[in-house]
Amino acid sequence: MKLNMRDMPVTLRSPTAQDGASLHRLIRACPPLDENSLYCNLLQCTQFAATSVVAERAGELVAAVTGHLVPGREDTLFIWQVAVHESARGQGLAHRMLKHILARPDCAAVRFVETTVTASNRASWALFEALARGLDAALERTALFEQTTHFAGEHETEILARIGPFAAPGQQLRAMPPTDQSMETTV
Ligand SMILES: CC(C)(COP(=O)(O)OP(=O)(O)OC[C@H]1O[C@@H](n2cnc3c(N)ncnc32)[C@H](O)[C@@H]1OP(=O)(O)O)[C@@H](O)C(=O)NCCC(=O)NCCS
């Protein structure tokens, strides 16, 4: 029996420098995400590996989340980009990747998740609304970077979505299996 690609197991792990070029290609394949330089992706894969995740299926990088703890506010995980290749969408992968990062020891003190989303990105709003529901936390929206003031008219306003406060990961992520981040997780 031929195995459909969508049915193949997906492995979640922290990125390494070897993932930089694949992450760059994935972001390019996932509009409306902004493309960053490959150098920027390499920094995400190394200096921000503890708060980022990549998902592999059959040896291919099919999804990723990049994030960091906000300097001076280490109780806040900022999610920079979430990218799921078209071939892997609609299977809960984006949501699982966010929970995977939150379950890490590096995020033990995290009580808020922040990200920015444009008003037109319905899939992204649906994802973060689902995350807020799963964490049993409020989601507040405020304009952060505005189209005219900050983007010189060249980019839609980015709205800050702030989720929290939520309980310690061990408490509200009961549905997740315990995650040892030194190990890979297959979902
Ligand atoms: C947005 C994106 C990451 C979602 O990935 P995904 O793995 O398909 O998302 P999930 O399956 O985990 O879905 C999470 C929630 O979002 C909802 N959702 C996902 N895609 C959706 C869409 N296109 N329209 C409406 N809702 C959507 C799901 O129904 C689910 O909500 P639920 O739990 O209430 O059912 C993916 O579509 C993508 O990479 N898009 C292009 C890049 C982008 O816009 N990234 C987000 C900005 S940072």
Side-chain angles (χ1 to χ4, degrees), residues 31-33 82-84 89-95 121 123-124 126-127 130 133:
L33 293 182
V82 184
V84 177
R89 288 182 192 165
Q91 298 181 300
L93 186 52
H95 199 159
N121 194 335
S124 192
L127 169 63
R133 277 198 305 279

Side-chain angles (χ1 to χ4, degrees), residues 15 17 23 38 98 110 146 169:
L23 176 61
L38 175 53
L98 292 171
V110 168
E146 294 188 355

Side-chain angles (χ1 to χ4, degrees), residues 9-10 19 35 55 58 60 62 64 84 90 93 97 101 104-105 107 113-114 116 132 156 160 168 173 182:
V10 174
D19 298 307
E35 248 185 79
E60 296 285 326
V62 291
V84 177
L93 186 52
M97 290 192 295
I101 295 174
R104 292 178 179 170
C107 290
V113 170
E114 291 184 356
T116 71
E156 218 182 315
L160 177 72
L173 297 176
S182 63

